[in-house]
Amino acid sequence: MRLSIVLAAAAMAGSSLFAIGAAHAQDQVNLTWQMWGDEKDTALWQSLADLVTAEYPNIKVTPQISGWNDYWTRLPVLASSGQIGDLVAMQSMRMPSFYSLLEPLDAHFASDKFDTSVFESSIIKGLSYDGTQYALPYDVGPWIVFYNHDKFAEAGLADPAMDWTFDDFKAAAEKLTSGDNYGYAVQAFDFIAAPVALGAEYFNDSDQFDLTNAGYEGAVGKYVDLVAKDKASPVFASGTNAATASGRFASGNAAMYIDGPWSLISTKDAVNFKMGVAPLPRGEGASRFITAGSGWGISAASQHKDEAYKALQVLTGPKAAQILASAGRALPGRLAEQTYWYDVAAKDVSSTRETLEYAFEHSTPFRINENWNEFENLITQYMPLALTGEKTTDATLSDIQSQLP
């Protein structure tokens, strides 16, 4: 009798273990994670994916890496064909065009009282749309001036002040220009970030493009004149990206150019001189700067949204932020982990912490709409006409305005 009871108990235990094992197998979830990057970034992203499995052994995250341009070309195609990943990388400047592909996160936040105040506030807003949060950030940064500290010293120029003006910037650019060497290397996005720093707006009160208002025309004209009249910068070719300006800077051909903290470690590694960073020059009013960044959201089409939310919290959590920051890959959107980036990417670069803290303290909303990508492309295509003097600044901006909704 006792033996039969023992056998029955053993059978029941075996059955229970089998059921538990079956349930565990059913709980295994494989998530795909779409991200842009270079081949050299693969190991870094995989290390973040491994953090998810370490935290949740039943969840496996597989990164799917694409080049930057391919990523944005393929994203709508993957979405329409039902092949979009469970986790989707998103840049704040493209949120108005792609938010509909993502799961709103506010209900998830409410379910576990998730606190978004651990992130820099400007990028939390940047990864939302119409008051709804669609992604959490991994990096953030304002546009800033990269400058050749050695050339400044050789020319007898002091390091830029935090609140330096456009007149200060212009004077430095002119003094640092000699022969085939320039004080500044202009690029397309300068005609967006820099006018805002001067106090101008490219939108009207309804968040629609108004490129022909006097404030924006005047601010853009200041930078155009640096190239077309003062010859303090070379002209960039139509369609050229930021690589040309950074290349001129790295080679010593240009003493200043405008970029963001996302490029700091690669630029620092490419130069053979001491470099520094400074805020964008202000106009007659107070300093103000736009910031941008990137993060990850959950696909609205995902079949595993609860698991994807768990993974998202890990990918944007403290350990992941520390890994990215310590590699110099990103100035974290998480405030507490930014110090790791300063210790690596910003090491030996003058005024980095002071500049970025100043820029965040004086940040202004980055105003974008669903036609933003078209605007950027038109700026890149048409601004060289003003820089060469083929067209006036006003005529160039009018041409761009006529092609926007």
Side-chain angles (χ1 to χ4, degrees):
M1 182 69 170
R2 185 174 298 170
L3 178 60
S4 63
I5 293 173
V6 171
L7 290 174
M12 290 176 65
S15 176
S16 297
L17 289 171
F18 178 79
I20 292 171
H24 178 74
Q26 290 174 352
D27 287 341
Q28 291 294 320
V29 174
N30 295 317
L31 302 176
T32 52
W33 173 26
Q34 288 180 227
M35 181 60 189
W36 58 77
D38 299 323
E39 186 176 340
K40 67 179 184 298
D41 296 324
T42 302
L44 186 62
W45 300 129
Q46 185 59 56
S47 70
L48 267 61
D50 292 341
L51 289 179
V52 177
T53 304
E55 182 77 16
Y56 301 104
N58 67 313
I59 302 176
K60 178 181 179 182
V61 176
T62 302
Q64 296 180 341
I65 312 297
S66 302
W68 172 259
N69 291 330
D70 286 346
Y71 183 86
W72 300 108
T73 301
R74 295 179 64 231
L75 187 59
V77 176
L78 293 171
S80 62
S81 63
Q83 300 179 65
I84 193 169
D86 298 283
L87 294 157
V88 180
M90 186 54 55
Q91 185 196 43
S92 60
M93 292 156 57
R94 286 171 165 77
M95 184 60 82
S97 299
F98 292 106
Y99 75 92
S100 61
L101 304 182
L102 302 176
E103 166 85 352
L105 296 177
D106 300 285
H108 294 279
F109 294 162
S111 70
D112 62 1
K113 297 181 172 59
F114 185 79
D115 182 12
T116 60
S117 69
V118 299
F119 298 98
E120 210 286 320
S121 60
S122 67
I123 189 57
I124 283 293
K125 182 173 176 60
L127 291 173
S128 67
Y129 184 77
D130 199 22
T132 298
Q133 199 69 39
Y134 287 95
L136 288 175
Y138 74 85
D139 79 342
V140 64
W143 277 265
I144 53 180
V145 177
F146 288 29
Y147 69 94
N148 186 321
H149 186 277
D150 291 347
K151 285 198 171 186
F152 266 66
E154 290 167 7
L157 292 168
D159 290 341
M162 291 296 107
D163 64 345
W164 68 329
T165 65
F166 180 80
D167 288 343
D168 299 327
F169 176 82
K170 177 181 178 180
E174 291 177 331
K175 189 166 187 177
L176 292 164
T177 298
S178 178
D180 293 331
N181 291 316
Y182 298 93
Y184 165 54
V186 71
Q187 55 192 336
F189 203 87
D190 297 7
F191 297 106
I192 299 172
V196 172
L198 294 181
E201 295 285 357
Y202 44 76
F203 272 174
N204 60 24
D205 292 341
S206 300
D207 285 342
Q208 299 301 310
F209 288 103
D210 178 15
L211 308 184
T212 58
N213 73 77
Y216 185 67
E217 284 184 347
V220 170
K222 288 179 181 291
Y223 280 88
V224 169
D225 287 349
L226 268 179
V227 184
K229 295 181 180 180
D230 304 319
K231 309 300 181 184
S233 167
V235 177
F236 68 86
S238 178
T240 302
N241 62 24
T244 302
S246 62
R248 287 186 180 276
F249 179 76
S251 70
N253 178 245
M256 295 184 288
Y257 89 108
I258 295 172
D259 210 331
W262 45 83
S263 298
L264 187 63
I265 193 166
S266 59
T267 303
K268 184 182 75 170
D269 290 345
V271 306
N272 60 2
F273 51 80
K274 181 175 176 57
M275 61 176 285
V277 297
L280 295 180
R282 63 178 176 85
E284 295 179 359
S287 299
R288 64 178 205 151
F289 313 100
I290 53 174
T291 64
S294 300
W296 299 298
I298 301 168
S299 166
S302 174
Q303 300 299 305
H304 306 288
K305 292 177 181 176
D306 289 341
E307 291 81 4
Y309 179 58
K310 291 178 180 178
L312 177 63
Q313 289 182 304
V314 175
L315 293 174
T316 58
K319 288 183 180 178
Q322 182 177 343
I323 289 172
L324 290 173
S326 297
R329 177 61 176 78
L331 174 64
R334 295 185 69 95
L335 297 168
E337 282 67 42
Q338 289 182 351
T339 186
Y340 296 102
W341 182 87
Y342 287 117
D343 291 343
V344 177
K347 185 179 180 182
D348 301 324
V349 178
S350 297
S351 304
T352 305
R353 186 187 291 270
E354 184 182 6
T355 293
L356 291 176
E357 289 179 350
Y358 182 83
F360 286 132
E361 288 170 3
H362 295 81
S363 66
T364 191
F366 191 169
R367 301 173 68 189
I368 54 179
N369 63 19
E370 64 277 7
N371 301 305
W372 182 261
N373 294 340
E374 187 177 355
F375 170 54
E376 269 200 83
N377 291 336
L378 290 169
I379 286 284
T380 304
Q381 181 180 353
Y382 284 96
M383 283 311 301
L385 298 176
L387 300 178
T388 60
E390 185 175 339
K391 284 196 170 186
T392 65
T393 299
D394 294 0
T396 302
L397 292 177
S398 181
D399 285 348
I400 296 172
Q401 178 71 53
S402 69
Q403 299 182 59
L404 291 167

